[in-house]
């Protein structure tokens, strides 16, 4: 068993009477873990807890051995984590270099030469060496996301929290971003929140599915796909009993759910497994 | 070019051993002769060339401090602290313009109607300035700052100092428009310190929106009531009122220091995460 780098037990946080995160228990290891779930599933709240941006009502967690429930533990945890929020904010007049430099100051890099060298390193790592002197407001959406990722990478953190970094990016930018996340996942723990099952299929060694604040699935992408084994079929007519069904390019319907007798079963995808994992009670719990 | 620098001179130049006046002659020639610059390259170790390029690159693209930052550095402030101070939202964009406009309007009213307008308005400016410079609602980088290892309380203090210094200087300038009042024209100073320290101290408990709103509302009510209930100088600007403001400032500062860890916990109360995004986009439109 791989030793966990980030452990959480019973994390719970309520907003206005609703449990945004409800008794979440997780153990993350080195590599990229995908966090899938619909809007309002509690993904961002969970990420904000693990990034120490907010405090849970109940439960505990550790980041690379540091306990953020104490003042010193929280500072130590923050020294080893990088966080890319869902909507990273920028001072509008900053250049890419100035923004990363500013974040480096917040990360306690006070020596000017060391700080500037680190800013260059992370901007080079995300492929923005050529635009580091450009104002952020003049950069494209994909470039802004890369600047935010560069800021998260300052100080070479051991735990990287990425909240939907590929949302709003065009396919080429998304592909480029996947390369960066894959590189970032080498030798560190990355928790990647996403709506895109392709992100998980291409990047993650493990996937956690959340819905209504609870963990519905925790396992490998192959295990999530296997949830839909024998539960995806084709038909010529719409199937009212299917949990989801749509007409494909061939004119046939592709259905996910509980198939009728004699149904023409087809190979499931990760998305099929995700869809089934969201419904009802937890489909499976895989110990790490 | 009819002549070229000889090899021995180039070798000495590369080693930094060439002395004037030959140094000046060789340097002038190198600036105009591509062949000699190429020949010079063979006398310089590749590692030294790389290092030189790296230093040149660093000198060219390193962020150049803006006027505020340069001034602070000239006064001996460490460059990283100067950057934190200069990045205070109030010091950027139209926020500063709003402060200047507010003071200008207050001066116009003070000159034409009652000096009370300036005395009552000036203490509200640093209170509002700190509110727009810190917190999940209006600081675009709040989320990034709060998860950084640098203590959030330190960032808050840095920004509070930046806001207080700026608004105090501007309000002092505005006070020069009321020379007939003498020192009484500075009657806003102690209330400004009291309101700001109370607002920031309460932020730890009530959040960065409710706390300054309550403190600002209480101040406006106090000034209005003092004016309505008694003739003469309103209570906050009497000697007793000024003493009271000083006492409030001291007590609030003590409470603020005692509550400093609350700013680092990420548990600051206030607008929800979603509504703070709405506030931030409104702030972006203002900037």
């Amino acid at each position: 068993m791989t030793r966990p780098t980030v452990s959480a037990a019973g994390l719970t946080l309520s907003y206005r009477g609703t449990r945004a995160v409800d008794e979440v228990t997780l153990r993350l290891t080195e590599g990229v873990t995908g966090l899938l779930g619909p809007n309002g599933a509690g993904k961002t709240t969970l990420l904000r807890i693990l990034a120490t941006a907010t405090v849970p009502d109940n439960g505990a967690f550790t980041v690379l051995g540091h306990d953020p429930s104490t003042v010193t533990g929280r500072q130590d945890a923050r020294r080893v984590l990088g966080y890319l929020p869902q909507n990273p904010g920028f001072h509008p007049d900053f250049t890419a270099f100035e923004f990363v430099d500013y974040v480096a100051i917040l990360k306690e890099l006070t020596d000017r030469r060391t700080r500037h060298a680190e800013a260059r390193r992370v901007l080079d790592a995300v492929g923005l060496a050529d635009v580091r002197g450009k104002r952020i407001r003049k950069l494209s959406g994909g470039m802004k996301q890369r600047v935010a990722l560069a800021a998260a990478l300052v100080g070479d953190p051991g735990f990287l929290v990425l909240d939907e970094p590929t949302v709003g990016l065009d396919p080429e930018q998304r592909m480029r971003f996947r390369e960066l996340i894959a590189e970032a996942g080498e030798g560190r723990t990355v928790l990647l929140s996403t709506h895109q099952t392709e992100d998980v299929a291409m990047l993650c060694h493990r996937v956690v599915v959340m819905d209504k604040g609870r963990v519905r699935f925790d396992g490998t992408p192959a295990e999530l796909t296997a949830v839909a084994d024998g539960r995806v079929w084709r038909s010529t007519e719409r199937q009212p009993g299917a949990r989801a069904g749509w007409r494909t390019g061939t004119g046939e319907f592709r259905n996910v759910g509980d198939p009728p007798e004699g149904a023409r079963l087809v190979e499931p995808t990760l998305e099929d497994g995700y869809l089934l994992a969201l419904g009802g009670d937890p489909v499976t719990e895989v110990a790490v | 070019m009819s002549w070229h620098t000889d090899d021995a001179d180039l070798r000495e130049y590369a080693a930094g051993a060439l002395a004037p006046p030959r140094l000046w002659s060789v340097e002038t020639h190198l600036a105009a002769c591509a062949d000699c610059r190429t020949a010079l390259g063979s006398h310089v170790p590749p590692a030294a060339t790389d290092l030189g390029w790296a230093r040149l690159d660093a000198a060219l693209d390193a962020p150049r401090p803006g006027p505020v930052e340069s001034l602070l550095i000239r006064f001996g402030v460490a460059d990283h602290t100067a950057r934190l101070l200069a990045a205070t939202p109030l010091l950027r964009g139209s926020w500063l313009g709003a402060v200047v406009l507010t003071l200008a309007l207050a001066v116009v009213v003070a000159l034409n109607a009652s000096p009370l307008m300036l005395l009552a308005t000036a203490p509200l400016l640093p209170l509002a300035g700190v509110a727009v410079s810190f917190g999940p609602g209006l600081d675009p980088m709040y989320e990034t700052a709060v998860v950084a290892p640098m203590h959030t309380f330190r960032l808050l203090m840095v920004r509070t100092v930046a806001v207080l210094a700026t608004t105090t200087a501007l309000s002092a300038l505005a006070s020069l428009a009321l020379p007939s009042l003498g020192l009484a024209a500075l009657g806003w100073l102690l209330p400004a310190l009291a309101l700001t320290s109370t607002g920031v101290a309460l932020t730890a408990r009530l959040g960065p929106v409710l706390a300054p709103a309550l403190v600002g509302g209480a101040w406006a009510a106090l000034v209005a009531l003092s004016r309505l209930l008694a003739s003469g100088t309103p209570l906050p600007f009497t000697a007793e009122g000024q003493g009271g403001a000083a006492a409030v400032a001291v007590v609030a500062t003590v409470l603020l220091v005692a509550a400093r860890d609350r700013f680092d916990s990420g548990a600051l109360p206030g607008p929800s995460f979603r509504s703070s995004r709405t506030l931030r986009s409104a702030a972006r439109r203002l900037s």
Side-chain angles (χ1 to χ4, degrees), chain B residues 63-246:
Chain B
R64 288 168 191 274
V68 175
E69 218 173 316
S70 299
L71 191 69
L72 290 167
I73 292 169
R74 192 165 293 177
F75 277 107
V77 177
D79 79 300
H80 52 92
T81 306
R83 172 138 293 203
L84 291 177
L85 282 164
T88 303
L90 182 87
L91 303 185
R92 293 175 163 261
S94 54
W95 291 115
L96 201 53
V99 171
V100 173
L101 184 66
T102 307
L103 279 170
L105 288 173
V107 166
V108 169
V109 175
L111 288 172
N112 292 296
S114 161
L116 185 62
M117 181 53 101
L118 179 63
L119 297 178
T121 305
L124 293 171
L125 295 174
L127 179 71
V130 174
V132 301
S133 297
F134 181 81
L138 295 167
D139 177 9
M141 289 182 62
Y142 177 80
E143 194 87 336
T144 305
V146 84
V147 302
M150 194 183 90
H151 286 285
T152 313
F153 181 71
R154 183 178 170 234
L155 183 64
L156 172 66
M157 288 299 97
V158 162
R159 293 198 168 161
T160 302
V161 166
V163 169
L164 268 174
T166 309
T167 54
T168 300
L170 290 171
S171 297
L173 277 176
S175 297
L176 293 177
L178 306 173
S180 58
L181 288 186
L183 272 181
L186 295 175
W188 49 267
L189 183 56
L190 286 171
L193 292 175
L195 263 59
T196 307
S197 52
T198 307
V200 177
L202 287 178
T203 292
R205 300 241 167 236
L206 303 175
V209 175
L210 187 58
L214 279 178
V215 172
W219 168 251
L222 177 67
V223 172
L225 280 175
S226 309
R227 177 86 170 154
L228 285 173
L229 298 180
S231 57
T233 306
L235 175 67
F237 308 111
T238 60
E240 295 77 17
Q242 295 283 301

Side-chain angles (χ1 to χ4, degrees), chain A residues 48 51 53-55 74-75 78 83 86-87 89 91 93-94 97-99 101-102 106 112 115 120 132, chain B residues 57-58 61 63 79-80 83-84 87 92 140-141 143 146-151 159 261 264-266 273 277:
Chain A
R48 294 187 75 238
T54 192
V55 180
R74 189 163 53 240
Q75 295 311 114
R78 286 173 177 173
Y83 176 41
Q86 194 174 30
N87 294 292
H91 282 302
D93 294 334
F94 273 170
F97 195 126
E98 286 169 338
F99 172 73
D101 185 51
Y102 182 79
L106 296 176
R112 191 166 178 263
R115 207 172 71 226
R120 284 191 191 88
R132 57 190 179 209
Chain B
D57 184 41
D61 83 341
D79 79 300
H80 52 92
R83 172 138 293 203
L84 291 177
R92 293 175 163 261
M141 289 182 62
E143 194 87 336
V146 84
V147 302
M150 194 183 90
H151 286 285
R159 293 198 168 161
D261 285 343
D264 285 319
S265 71
F273 187 55
R277 286 210 298 259

